[in-house]
């Protein structure tokens, strides 16, 4: 372990402290009951972590904000959230952010073919897919043309064949996790 108070990244597993889900969530529920917030939610919660939270919550989380894009589709999490009335919000919907090397979404040949067939961009195909899954998303752009393009996803739809091709895209998380060694269900 590193010196007390000094952490390197990634964090060593032995330096992690247990997370008091029940205590933290009760405090968040109290904030809502006091009118300090309209809604409460979580970020980076897996199915297992959501199950643990729901077992102690009296107010369900409204949203779970997680990494989600066509190269990290999170099917089990999407299904669980839908069954439990939790909105999923995707960050890194275009697989940018802290990526190193090729962008498995924006440089994907299958997505390029789908985009060309619809006369759309890969970004529009990616955002349309999320929309069709019932997922909200947070695309980051400072470019006015790209922001305008991102709005033009509502007047067309992906085909069943498009969805099949998209489901075959190799899956890997963009941000693998903050611990060393990796903990499979840290988030």
């Amino acid at each position: 372990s590193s010196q007390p108070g000094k952490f390197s990244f990634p964090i060593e597993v032995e330096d992690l402290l247990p997370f008091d889900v029940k205590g933290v969530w009760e405090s968040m529920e109290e904030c809502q009951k006091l009118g300090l917030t309209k809604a409460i939610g979580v970020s980076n919660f897996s199915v297992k972590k959501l199950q643990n939270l729901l077992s102690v919550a009296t107010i369900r989380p409204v949203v779970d904000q997680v990494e989600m894009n066509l190269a990290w589709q999170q099917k089990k999490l999407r299904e669980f959230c839908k069954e439990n009335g939790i909105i999923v919000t995707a960050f890194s919907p275009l697989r940018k952010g802290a990526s190193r090397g090729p962008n498995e979404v924006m440089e994907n040949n299958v997505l390029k073919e789908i985009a060309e067939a619809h006369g759309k961009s890969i970004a529009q195909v990616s955002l349309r897919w999320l929309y069709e899954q019932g997922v909200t998303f947070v695309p980051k752009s400072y470019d006015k043309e790209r922001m305008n393009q991102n709005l033009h996803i509502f007047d067309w739809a992906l085909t069943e064949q498009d969805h099949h091709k998209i489901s075959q895209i190799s899956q890997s998380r963009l941000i693998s996790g903050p611990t060393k060694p990796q903990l499979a269900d840290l988030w």
Side-chain angles (χ1 to χ4, degrees):
S1 177
S2 56
Q3 297 174 345
K6 302 230 179 198
F7 292 100
S8 60
F9 191 83
I11 299 166
E12 299 294 335
V13 170
E14 64 265 17
D15 288 330
L16 291 177
L17 296 174
F19 177 54
D20 178 14
V21 171
K22 187 175 190 297
V24 171
W25 195 253
E26 285 173 351
S27 296
M28 291 178 67
E29 287 179 345
E30 186 63 21
C31 288
Q32 185 170 343
K33 290 172 187 170
L34 291 171
L36 300 174
T37 184
K38 290 183 179 184
I40 51 179
V42 294
S43 183
N44 294 321
F45 268 47
S46 62
V47 169
K48 182 178 177 183
K49 286 204 174 339
L50 285 171
Q51 287 170 330
N52 291 341
L53 175 59
L54 292 176
S55 74
V56 299
T58 58
I59 300 174
R60 289 177 178 268
V62 173
V63 66
D64 185 8
Q65 183 182 31
V66 296
E67 177 192 340
M68 187 179 298
N69 51 63
L70 292 179
W72 189 241
Q73 297 176 16
Q74 302 245 45
K75 185 176 182 192
K76 287 180 187 174
L77 180 66
R78 283 186 284 118
E79 290 170 354
F80 181 85
C81 287
K82 186 175 183 179
E83 290 166 9
N84 287 279
I86 300 169
I87 297 165
V88 175
T89 297
F91 69 76
S92 297
L94 304 179
R95 188 83 175 195
K96 292 194 176 179
S99 69
R100 309 264 188 293
N103 183 319
E104 291 89 348
V105 171
M106 299 302 285
E107 298 172 29
N108 185 293
N109 288 332
V110 170
L111 296 176
K112 184 177 182 184
E113 289 173 17
I114 293 170
E116 287 174 357
H118 289 282
K120 300 293 180 181
S121 68
I122 292 175
Q124 288 171 314
V125 168
S126 299
L127 298 178
R128 179 67 198 192
W129 180 85
L130 288 165
Y131 172 74
E132 289 184 13
Q133 305 311 307
V135 171
T136 60
F137 44 85
V138 186
K140 179 181 173 186
S141 181
Y142 299 104
D143 181 282
K144 286 183 181 180
E145 178 55 36
R146 283 197 199 113
M147 286 188 270
N148 186 42
Q149 229 183 51
N150 291 346
L151 292 172
H152 289 89
I153 63 164
F154 303 108
D155 58 350
W156 61 283
L158 294 166
T159 67
E160 192 174 321
Q161 187 178 20
D162 293 338
H163 280 281
H164 177 72
K165 288 177 183 176
I166 288 169
S167 73
Q168 304 302 310
I169 294 172
S170 177
Q171 298 293 294
S172 65
R173 174 177 264 152
L174 175 63
I175 303 167
S176 60
T179 64
K180 179 182 169 188
Q182 297 297 313
L183 291 177
D185 196 43
L186 180 64
W187 53 13

